């Protein structure tokens, strides 16, 4: 009787669904129903000792929660977890996201392993929301609802490295210029693993003026007003949706005007690369205003101002204080580890 009672209690408790925003440090036997909206490529951990795959789930109330798979569990759930499908998830491990990896307001993530029960629900796949107009980007700044956009890519900038102000962690970003039927160019900044996957594909076919459907973006005041991809964003290149087909038909009838806008970016880039003036630092005041030039000078000092350069652990790259070259135990990360100091790790 006691044995049956324990089984009944366990099943009854496990059947209670948790919302991602209800998670606390005391949450146990976590159970939820959510759609897998983004499945990032497999990569190495920062220490280089493990393979990991990051996931983003979203429930029907639009609350999101990150998930992660490690090593053997990546292969175990490779065919089970598919983007765009909804799942019942029972008993993942709930833990706080380390401060250095926080990119959103989310505090917790779930680790899915062999003990986690995952089953696909019978619900229909969620239809994408109606794309927003690019030129109304200013109206979306600060809003929390889902924002999907669609537009024609006319120019792709080179990849850049941006470091987080708080942690100094480097992030890759690639900017693409887009427009729609209003013919006004709006910039989209592509982040995270999208830089090395979809952004690379876009760069290879940018001369064909591809159509991009981008989900779950955020609006920002950068460059007046622009869009950023989020950790949950997906990019579809030349999709076959009805909206994309309408935009494709419009593009064919306005290709000359679009090409003129594209050529402007090519011209601006040629101006930057065709630099013929070379001068010394002390001669800068003698140059005409607006002239682009290479400068030659000697570095006299390197400053730590604005956290552009600082001493860091050679394992986790977190700021630390220790004797240069001597081993020490770093406590900056969630797990203490042996390390040595890298002087000026973040000099760029």
């Amino acid at each position: 009787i006691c044995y049956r009672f324990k089984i009944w209690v366990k099943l009854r408790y496990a059947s209670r669904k948790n919302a991602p925003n209800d998670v606390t440090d005391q949450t146990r036997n976590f159970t939820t129903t959510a759609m897998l909206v983004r499945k990032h490529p497999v990569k190495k951990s920062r220490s280089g000792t493990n393979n990991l795959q990051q996931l983003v789930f979203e429930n029907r109330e639009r609350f999101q929660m990150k998930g992660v798979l490690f090593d053997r569990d990546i292969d175990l759930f490779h065919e089970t977890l598919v983007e765009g499908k909804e799942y019942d998830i029972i008993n993942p491990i709930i833990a706080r996201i380390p401060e250095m990896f926080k990119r959103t307001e989310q505090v917790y993530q779930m680790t899915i392993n062999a003990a986690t029960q995952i089953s696909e629900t019978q619900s229909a796949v969620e239809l994408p929301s109606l794309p927003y107009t690019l030129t109304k980007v200013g109206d979306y700044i600060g809003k929390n609802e889902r924002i999907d956009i669609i537009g024609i890519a006319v120019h792709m900038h080179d990849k850049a490295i941006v470091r987080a102000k708080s942690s100094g962690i480097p992030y890759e970003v690639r900017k693409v210029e887009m427009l729609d039927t209003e013919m006004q160019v709006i910039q989209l900044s592509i982040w995270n693993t999208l830089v090395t996957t979809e952004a690379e594909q876009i760069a290879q076919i940018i001369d064909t003026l591809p159509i991009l459907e981008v989900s779950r973006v955020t609006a920002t005041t950068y460059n007046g007003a622009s869009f950023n991809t989020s950790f949950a964003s997906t990019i579809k290149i030349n999709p076959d949706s009805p909206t994309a087909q309408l935009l494709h038909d419009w593009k064919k009838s306005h290709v000359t005007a679009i090409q003129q806008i594209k050529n402007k970016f090519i011209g601006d880039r040629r101006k930057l690369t065709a630099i013929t003036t070379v001068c010394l630092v002390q001669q800068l005041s003698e140059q005409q205003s607006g002239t682009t030039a290479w400068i030659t000078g000697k570095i006299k000092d390197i400053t730590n101002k604005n956290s552009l350069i600082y001493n860091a652990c050679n394992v986790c790259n977190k700021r630390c204080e220790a004797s240069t070259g001597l081993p020490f135990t770093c406590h900056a990360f969630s797990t203490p580890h042996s390390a040595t100091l890298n002087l000026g790790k973040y000099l760029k």
Side-chain angles (χ1 to χ4, degrees):
I1 294 176
C2 291
Y3 179 70
R4 290 180 179 175
F5 176 73
K6 289 180 180 179
I7 292 179
W8 180 81
V9 170
K10 184 175 182 179
L11 291 175
R12 176 71 177 271
Y13 188 75
S15 66
R16 295 172 55 192
K17 297 294 178 65
N18 302 94
N21 56 316
D22 292 335
V23 178
T24 68
D25 290 334
Q26 286 71 45
T27 299
R28 299 293 184 272
N29 298 317
F30 181 78
T31 300
T32 192
T33 298
M35 176 178 291
L36 177 61
V37 297
R38 176 63 176 159
K39 190 175 182 180
H40 288 265
V42 178
K43 66 177 184 178
K44 283 287 186 182
S45 62
R46 293 185 66 85
S47 64
T49 56
N50 301 98
N51 291 323
L52 64 86
Q53 185 171 34
Q54 294 172 305
L55 314 169
V56 181
F57 291 91
E58 184 178 86
N59 68 6
R60 298 178 185 180
E61 287 73 41
R62 303 292 194 190
F63 289 108
Q64 293 181 0
M65 190 171 189
K66 293 181 180 179
V68 62
L69 295 164
F70 290 99
D71 297 325
R72 291 180 299 178
D73 295 321
I74 297 174
D75 294 330
L76 181 63
F77 290 98
H78 175 68
E79 296 183 357
T80 302
L81 293 172
V82 179
E83 284 185 1
K85 292 188 176 182
E86 187 182 64
Y87 299 92
D88 288 326
I89 307 171
I90 301 174
N91 202 34
I93 300 172
I94 302 298
R96 281 181 171 267
I97 301 174
E99 288 294 329
M100 65 184 300
F101 295 130
K102 279 187 182 178
R103 301 174 188 172
T104 65
E105 296 180 355
Q106 297 177 35
V107 178
Y108 299 92
Q109 68 179 6
M110 52 185 175
T111 299
I112 297 172
N113 57 24
T116 306
Q117 301 176 44
I118 295 182
S119 58
E120 184 181 345
T121 68
Q122 300 304 313
S123 300
V125 176
E126 178 193 38
L127 295 175
S129 62
L130 185 66
Y132 284 66
T133 304
L134 294 179
T135 53
K136 294 185 178 180
V137 56
D139 297 338
Y140 315 141
I141 296 173
K143 293 188 176 182
N144 294 323
E145 66 260 28
R146 172 175 172 176
I147 302 174
D148 295 349
I149 59 174
I150 186 170
I152 302 167
V154 297
H155 180 72
M156 176 70 80
H157 296 271
D158 293 334
K159 183 167 57 177
I161 303 294
V162 177
R163 299 190 182 277
K165 292 182 179 179
S166 58
S167 65
I169 295 177
Y171 294 106
E172 292 183 329
V173 60
R174 197 156 189 185
K175 299 179 176 67
V176 59
E177 307 292 342
M178 300 174 61
L179 58 78
D180 57 16
T181 56
E182 297 189 24
M183 298 290 281
Q184 181 176 334
V185 177
I186 299 296
Q187 190 174 90
L188 168 69
S189 295
I190 301 175
W191 298 85
N192 305 312
T193 55
L194 292 171
V195 174
T196 55
T197 52
E198 283 84 346
E200 287 292 341
Q201 297 173 30
I202 297 168
Q204 293 174 8
I205 61 171
I206 192 65
D207 290 338
T208 66
L209 304 173
I211 293 174
L212 309 181
E213 274 188 358
V214 192
S215 70
R216 297 174 174 85
V217 299
T218 58
T220 174
T221 56
Y222 178 74
N223 270 355
S226 60
F227 290 107
N228 282 324
T229 62
S230 67
F231 199 69
S233 291
T234 58
I235 299 178
K236 294 181 180 179
I237 304 172
N238 290 326
D240 57 2
S241 65
T243 304
Q245 186 58 52
L246 289 173
L247 188 58
H248 176 73
D249 294 340
W250 177 87
K251 181 182 75 171
K252 288 194 298 184
S253 60
H254 294 79
V255 66
T256 302
I258 297 172
Q259 192 64 47
Q260 289 175 348
I261 295 174
K262 176 179 175 61
N263 291 341
K264 178 181 180 300
F265 288 100
I266 297 175
D268 291 343
R269 180 162 184 164
R270 286 173 178 168
K271 290 179 183 178
L272 291 174
T273 55
I275 299 174
T276 57
T277 304
V278 180
C279 64
L280 299 176
V281 173
Q282 60 265 33
Q283 296 174 338
L284 285 176
S285 59
E286 302 174 8
Q287 304 301 313
Q288 293 182 352
S289 176
T291 299
T292 303
W294 292 104
I295 61 172
T296 302
K298 181 179 180 181
I299 297 176
K300 299 185 65 175
D301 183 41
I302 298 176
T303 176
N304 288 339
K305 185 179 180 181
N306 296 326
S307 300
L308 292 176
I309 174 174
Y310 53 81
N311 299 336
C313 167
N314 70 322
V315 176
C316 67
N317 290 330
K318 290 287 285 184
R319 184 194 300 270
C320 60
E321 299 296 334
S323 299
T324 304
L326 297 180
F328 69 101
T329 301
C330 177
H331 295 276
F333 196 55
S334 56
T335 303
H337 49 271
S338 299
T340 57
L341 188 72
N342 275 348
L343 182 62
K345 176 70 177 179
Y346 285 92
L347 177 61
K348 182 65 177 174

